[in-house]
Every structure is written in C-alpha cells, then in structure tokens.
Amino acid sequence: VKRKGKNDYYVYQDDILKQKLPNLMLLGDLHKSIQKNELSIVYQPIIEVKTKEIRAMETLIRWHHPIHGTVPPSQFISLAEETGFIVSIGEWVIRQACEQHQKWRKIGLPPIRIAVNISVKELQDPYFSKRIENILTEKRMAPQYLELEITESMMIYNEATILNNLLRVKEIGVRLSIDDFGTGYSSLAYLKRLDVDTVKIDRSFIADCPHSYYGSVITNTIISLAHHLGMNVIAEGVEHREQLRYLEEKGCQEAQGYLFSVPLHAAEATRLLSTGIRH
Ligand code: C2E
Ligand code: CA
Ligand code: CA
Ligand code: CA
C-alpha cells in the first residue's frame, strides 16, 4: 500500500475496500491469462468521414475469465499497470495486432493502419522502442501502418525514458496518436515536440454534439487545431447520424463508434474489411 500523505492513506484504504479488493482477487488469475489463452483482441474500424472507407482498426483487449466471464479492460488494465504486468500484456497485444495486419496484407486487403493502446508503464521500459522495432521486423510490417495511442496525461511524467521511447518510435516511422484528446492535464507543447500524427477527440465531447454548446465548440476547436498543425483528427464514440453530419460539415477526417461498428473479432473484422461499411 502506497502512503503518500496522512490523508491519502485513509482515502486509499477506503478505495481498497470499495473496489480494489475484488480486483486483487483477479490479480493471480491475470498473471496466468496469457498462457491460458484467455486474452483476445477485438478490432474497431476507424472510417474516413468523406468516403466511409475503413482507414484503420483500433485493437481493444478482452479477457475471458473462466468464472467471471468477460472482464472489461476498465477493470483489469489499471490492475495490470499497478503490477507491471501490463508490459507483457502490451507486448502481446502489439504482436497480435501486427500479426493480424500481416494476415490482412497476405490476403490482399487494401492497407490500413492498426492502432494500439499503449500504457505509460510500457513507455517507462527502456527497451520499449527496441521491442517495437523487433516486432515490426518479425512481422515484416512497414512502420507507418502502426499507430500508437497514448494519452496527453503521460506528458506530465516528464521522464527521459518515456520521451526517448516516443522520439525513437517516431524516428523509425511509427505513428503517434493522442487518445482522449482534451481530457488530460497538459500543455500542447508536446504535440510539436513529438510531431504527433493524430488526435482523437474524446467521446465525451462527441456525445454532446451538436446540441450542447460546449461539446460543439470544443470539438470544433480540436478539429481546427489539428488542421492547422497538419494532424489527422479522429472523432471517437460516434453513435448518431447527426453527429456524423456535424463532423462532416466541420471537416473532421475520420470517425469511430457504434454508428459504424462495435469492436469485432478478427474473423468479423476481416469480413468487414472485404465488404466495407454499409451506411
Ligand atoms: P479507449 O482507448 O478510449 O477505447 C475506446 C473505448 O470506447 C472502447 O472501450 C470501445 O469499445 C468504446 N467505444 C467505441 N465506440 C463507442 C461508442 O460509439 N460509444 C461508446 N459509448 N463507447 C464506444 P473498451 O474496449 O472497453 O476499452 C476501454 C479502455 O481500455 C480503452 O479506452 C483503453 O484506454 C483501454 N484499453 C483497451 N485495450 C487496451 C490495451 O490493449 N492496452 C491498454 N493499455 N489499454 C487498453
Ligand atoms: Ca484508444
Ligand atoms: Ca479514447
Ligand atoms: Ca479512454
């Protein structure tokens, strides 16, 4: 148990009793999940707003627990982060993603990007960028098809290892994307420093579009910022046609959400890539 300050201690204890305890019981199981083949990946398409063509797939992890059933990432990712196990899980996800990409290339599907969520713990490993390079070589994958999704909150760590990993993967040609953009505490300076390729507008802003003033203004401002800085912009959590119409009108390039597709298993994702999105 971490003890930051006198008061934090009590907050943390309370936290454990309320939600961490059941999670801790999952911990032992999580460590065996990779070997036991309980982890899987689903893919959610990211479409180009203008053409409705699939431009990328985001990989999202799933854990099928023998007793508890499907455990959502919101329940085990933070646990995996706290224990450091996220480094193994993360590497497994990247390898799976690149392997799937290789399969898609082999059957002649048009090339798309594959996006992978990266946790700050992974970036604190000095060998992160080297491991990425190895996987790309192993899967014979051109680096520009791999897009790493990080959050702006990672920048507050201001650690050399994190920065070096990010600069190195950029140098190799891997793309960087800022997830949940607009929700973190950060200056925008890192956009330039890291030469960020993509920003993803957080779902909470899109949910408010176009009816709420704040949601629309923030969405609009992010689209405009991205355009002026020459970055690609993706709207997350698009569920309704009127949100899509709004995004189209504002010139948002790409969108992702239940309106197009829920996250899909590899076979379904492959089928969707060959047939395209119906709309
Ligand atoms: P995220 O990266 O922001 O991923 C988007 C989440 O929104 C996914 O939830 C997705 O299923 C959900 N979503 C997609 N479209 C819609 C929509 O139209 N409406 C709504 N309401 N939700 C939508 P999921 O799969 O439960 O993942 C939750 C979070 O867990 C992710 O948020 C990401 O932060 C984390 N995560 C997932 N997979 C991984 C992974 O492999 N590694 C790491 N480090 N984190 C992961
Ligand atoms: Ca993401
Ligand atoms: Ca997100
Ligand atoms: Ca998120």
Coordinates of all heavy atoms in Angstrom, one line a residue, residues 41-45 57-60 96-97 100-101 104 114 261-266 269:
I41 N -8.3 -10.2 -28.7 CA -8.3 -8.8 -29.2 C -9.5 -8.6 -30.1 O -9.9 -9.5 -30.9 CB -7.0 -8.5 -30.0 CG1 -5.9 -8.3 -29.0 CG2 -7.2 -7.3 -30.8 CD1 -4.6 -8.1 -29.6
V42 N -10.2 -7.5 -29.9 CA -11.2 -7.1 -30.9 C -10.8 -5.9 -31.6 O -9.9 -5.1 -31.1 CB -12.6 -6.9 -30.2 CG1 -13.2 -8.2 -29.8 CG2 -12.5 -6.0 -28.9
Y43 N -11.3 -5.7 -32.8 CA -10.9 -4.6 -33.7 C -12.1 -3.7 -34.0 O -13.1 -4.2 -34.4 CB -10.4 -5.2 -35.0 CG -9.2 -6.1 -34.8 CD1 -9.4 -7.5 -34.5 CD2 -7.9 -5.7 -34.8 CE1 -8.4 -8.4 -34.2 CE2 -6.8 -6.6 -34.6 CZ -7.1 -7.9 -34.3 OH -6.0 -8.8 -34.1
Q44 N -11.9 -2.4 -33.8 CA -13.0 -1.5 -34.2 C -12.5 -0.6 -35.3 O -11.5 0.1 -35.2 CB -13.4 -0.6 -33.0 CG -14.7 0.2 -33.3 CD -15.1 1.0 -32.1 OE1 -14.4 1.5 -31.3 NE2 -16.5 1.2 -32.0
P45 N -13.3 -0.5 -36.4 CA -12.9 0.3 -37.5 C -12.9 1.8 -37.3 O -13.8 2.3 -36.6 CB -13.9 -0.1 -38.6 CG -15.1 -0.7 -37.9 CD -14.6 -1.3 -36.6
M57 N -7.9 0.2 -37.9 CA -8.6 -0.6 -37.0 C -7.9 -0.3 -35.6 O -6.7 -0.4 -35.5 CB -8.5 -2.1 -37.3 CG -9.3 -2.5 -38.5 SD -11.0 -2.9 -38.0 CE -11.7 -3.5 -39.5
E58 N -8.7 -0.1 -34.6 CA -8.1 0.0 -33.2 C -8.3 -1.3 -32.5 O -9.3 -1.9 -32.5 CB -8.8 1.1 -32.4 CG -8.3 1.2 -31.0 CD -8.8 2.2 -30.0 OE1 -9.8 3.0 -30.5 OE2 -8.4 2.4 -28.9
T59 N -7.2 -1.8 -31.9 CA -7.2 -3.0 -31.2 C -7.6 -2.8 -29.7 O -7.1 -1.9 -29.1 CB -5.8 -3.7 -31.2 OG1 -4.9 -2.8 -30.6 CG2 -5.3 -4.0 -32.6
L60 N -8.5 -3.5 -29.3 CA -9.0 -3.4 -27.9 C -9.0 -4.8 -27.2 O -9.4 -5.8 -27.8 CB -10.4 -2.9 -27.9 CG -10.6 -1.4 -28.4 CD1 -12.0 -1.1 -28.9 CD2 -10.1 -0.4 -27.4
Q96 N 0.2 -9.3 -31.6 CA -1.1 -9.8 -32.2 C -1.6 -8.9 -33.3 O -2.0 -9.3 -34.3 CB -2.2 -9.9 -31.1 CG -2.0 -11.0 -30.0 CD -2.1 -12.4 -30.6 OE1 -3.1 -12.7 -31.2 NE2 -1.1 -13.2 -30.3
A97 N -1.5 -7.6 -32.9 CA -2.0 -6.6 -33.9 C -1.2 -6.6 -35.2 O -1.8 -6.6 -36.3 CB -1.9 -5.2 -33.3
Q100 N -2.0 -9.8 -37.2 CA -3.3 -9.7 -37.9 C -3.1 -8.8 -39.1 O -3.7 -9.1 -40.2 CB -4.3 -9.1 -36.9 CG -5.7 -9.1 -37.5 CD -6.2 -10.5 -38.0 OE1 -6.3 -11.4 -37.2 NE2 -6.5 -10.6 -39.2
H101 N -2.4 -7.7 -39.0 CA -2.1 -6.8 -40.1 C -1.4 -7.6 -41.2 O -1.7 -7.4 -42.4 CB -1.3 -5.6 -39.6 CG -1.3 -4.5 -40.6 ND1 -0.3 -4.3 -41.5 CD2 -2.1 -3.4 -40.7 CE1 -0.6 -3.2 -42.2 NE2 -1.7 -2.6 -41.7
W104 N -3.9 -9.7 -43.0 CA -4.7 -8.9 -43.9 C -3.9 -8.5 -45.2 O -4.5 -8.6 -46.3 CB -5.2 -7.6 -43.2 CG -6.3 -7.9 -42.2 CD1 -7.2 -8.9 -42.3 CD2 -6.6 -7.2 -41.0 NE1 -8.1 -8.9 -41.2 CE2 -7.7 -7.8 -40.4 CE3 -6.1 -6.0 -40.4 CZ2 -8.3 -7.3 -39.2 CZ3 -6.7 -5.6 -39.3 CH2 -7.8 -6.2 -38.7
I114 N -3.1 0.2 -38.1 CA -3.6 -0.5 -37.0 C -3.2 0.2 -35.7 O -2.0 0.6 -35.6 CB -3.2 -2.0 -37.0 CG1 -4.0 -2.8 -35.9 CG2 -1.7 -2.2 -36.7 CD1 -4.4 -4.1 -36.4
S261 N -19.6 0.5 -36.4 CA -19.4 -0.9 -35.9 C -19.0 -0.9 -34.5 O -18.2 -0.1 -34.0 CB -18.3 -1.6 -36.8 OG -18.0 -2.8 -36.3
V262 N -19.4 -2.0 -33.8 CA -18.8 -2.3 -32.4 C -17.5 -2.9 -32.7 O -17.2 -3.3 -33.8 CB -19.8 -3.2 -31.6 CG1 -21.1 -2.5 -31.4 CG2 -19.9 -4.5 -32.4
P263 N -16.6 -3.1 -31.7 CA -15.4 -3.8 -31.9 C -15.7 -5.3 -32.3 O -16.6 -5.9 -31.7 CB -14.7 -3.8 -30.5 CG -15.3 -2.6 -29.8 CD -16.7 -2.5 -30.3
L264 N -14.9 -5.8 -33.2 CA -15.2 -7.1 -33.8 C -14.1 -8.1 -33.6 O -12.9 -7.7 -33.6 CB -15.4 -7.0 -35.3 CG -16.5 -6.0 -35.8 CD1 -16.3 -5.7 -37.3 CD2 -17.9 -6.5 -35.5
H265 N -14.4 -9.4 -33.6 CA -13.4 -10.4 -33.5 C -12.7 -10.4 -34.9 O -13.2 -9.9 -35.9 CB -14.0 -11.8 -33.2 CG -14.6 -11.8 -31.8 ND1 -13.7 -11.9 -30.7 CD2 -15.8 -11.7 -31.4 CE1 -14.5 -11.9 -29.7 NE2 -15.8 -11.8 -30.0
A266 N -11.5 -11.0 -34.9 CA -10.7 -11.0 -36.1 C -11.4 -11.4 -37.4 O -11.4 -10.7 -38.4 CB -9.4 -11.9 -36.0
A269 N -13.9 -8.8 -38.4 CA -13.2 -7.6 -38.8 C -12.7 -7.8 -40.3 O -12.7 -6.9 -41.1 CB -12.1 -7.3 -37.9

